[in-house]
Amino acid sequence: MFAKFVNWMKPIPDSKSLIMGKKLITKQYRSWRIKMFLGMFVGYIVYYFTRANITYVAPSIMREFGITKTEFSVIPAVLFVVYSVGKFLSGILADRCNIRSFMAVGLLGSSIINLFFGFIPSLHMLTFLWGLNGGLQSMGYPPAAKGLVYWFSSSERATKWALWSTSHTIGASVVGILVGFCIKFGSWRAAFYLPGIIGLITSIFLLYTLTDKPSSVGLPPIEVYHNDPLPVKEQNSLSYWETLKKYVLGNPHIW
């Protein structure tokens, strides 16, 4: 079963190129670009639902467990430490996986943790679970960044990236309203149950909406379709680790 899961997470193989005219290719590209952008946009909004909700229920949790602000602060701190490290590792892993599965699995796992979070009576277990949630949350950004590069050329990427980045603000804003609704008509636990349910539904939506790179659905690469060649030639002689060291770890601009 684990082997099947690993294969399911791997990049989707190239499909046989679609034999069609330019107009039909343009139609297919337009359709897939809308679906990819919509999936990554909505998906990342809901990632915020299953992460930022804890901020709004902090007072309720502190009252129930009889803890101070300092003691409670450990929970979100653990999340962001794990999230920071996880985002780097997820960026590496996302290169070896397909966009659809990687983004959906992260949201699915985070949603399940939210559903269990309200049942946990121990502060230590809450901290552990929310730290695990940080690792799963780190799986949201890398596949979206990868998808924007695969499906939008360098000449249009800045605009699409700016539009997609509004998902951060929308997610952080809407979750406040959602949590307020939950607390008013339920309890602080409902502020985890409802985002968890929404996250489960959205992860299924991602599986039916997203794909991987254009060639996985029989379309030409974006550089060919948009007549926008890469500014730098690929160096196929470098291994993955050598590429990582040269262009990431050894890049002064990144540091």
Side-chain angles (χ1 to χ4, degrees):
M1 182 173 289
F2 180 73
K4 288 183 179 180
F5 176 76
V6 171
N7 288 330
W8 181 67
M9 292 291 289
K10 287 180 179 179
I12 299 174
D14 292 349
S15 178
K16 187 177 181 180
S17 296
L18 299 176
I19 302 174
M20 59 179 75
K22 187 176 181 180
K23 287 185 178 180
L24 193 52
I25 289 177
T26 300
K27 182 179 178 180
Q28 288 289 326
Y29 237 108
R30 185 185 298 116
S31 174
W32 272 110
R33 276 153 61 105
I34 290 173
K35 289 194 289 185
M36 289 296 293
F37 187 87
L38 179 65
M40 295 184 296
F41 187 81
V42 173
Y44 206 70
I45 287 175
V46 179
Y47 261 90
Y48 263 82
F49 287 6
T50 55
R51 177 172 87 221
N53 51 351
I54 196 169
T55 303
Y56 300 95
V57 298
S60 300
I61 294 177
M62 287 187 286
R63 280 196 301 271
E64 177 154 333
F65 285 88
I67 59 177
T68 65
K69 290 181 180 179
T70 303
E71 291 171 321
F72 175 81
S73 66
V74 174
I75 298 177
V78 168
L79 177 137
F80 284 113
V81 169
V82 177
Y83 178 73
S84 299
V85 176
K87 207 167 184 180
F88 174 73
L89 297 176
S90 291
I92 297 174
L93 287 173
D95 281 342
R96 304 294 185 92
C97 299
N98 71 75
I99 296 168
R100 178 179 63 200
S101 300
F102 201 84
M103 194 168 192
V105 165
L107 183 56
L108 176 66
S110 183
S111 301
I112 291 172
I113 284 178
N114 271 261
L115 291 174
F116 276 99
F117 198 81
F119 292 103
I120 304 299
S122 165
L123 181 62
H124 292 93
M125 279 300 297
L126 290 179
T127 304
F128 171 77
L129 272 183
W130 213 239
L132 182 59
N133 190 31
L136 292 164
Q137 285 286 321
S138 73
M139 297 174 68
Y141 177 85
K146 184 178 176 182
L148 288 170
V149 172
Y150 272 142
W151 287 92
F152 300 96
S153 69
S154 56
S155 61
E156 59 185 349
R157 205 168 291 153
T159 302
K160 297 303 186 291
W161 197 286
L163 289 173
W164 177 82
S165 294
T166 61
S167 62
H168 300 237
T169 307
I170 294 172
S173 302
V174 175
V175 71
I177 300 172
L178 186 68
V179 170
F181 175 84
C182 291
I183 294 175
K184 183 177 181 179
F185 296 100
S187 67
W188 68 264
R189 289 178 171 82
F192 293 95
Y193 300 152
L194 185 56
I197 293 170
I198 293 173
L200 287 177
I201 295 170
T202 306
S203 62
I204 296 172
F205 166 76
L206 294 180
L207 290 175
Y208 281 95
T209 305
L210 300 178
T211 185
D212 202 17
K213 52 189 180 293
S215 58
S216 64
V217 290
L219 292 170
I222 186 63
E223 293 80 18
V224 175
Y225 168 72
H226 211 266
N227 193 25
D228 194 11
L230 288 169
V232 180
K233 291 183 179 179
E234 295 184 38
Q235 297 188 24
N236 296 323
S237 59
L238 294 178
S239 67
Y240 187 86
W241 175 241
E242 289 171 334
T243 303
L244 182 66
K245 286 193 296 182
K246 181 175 180 179
Y247 293 107
V248 180
L249 299 179
N251 189 334
H253 298 293
I254 290 181
W255 290 111

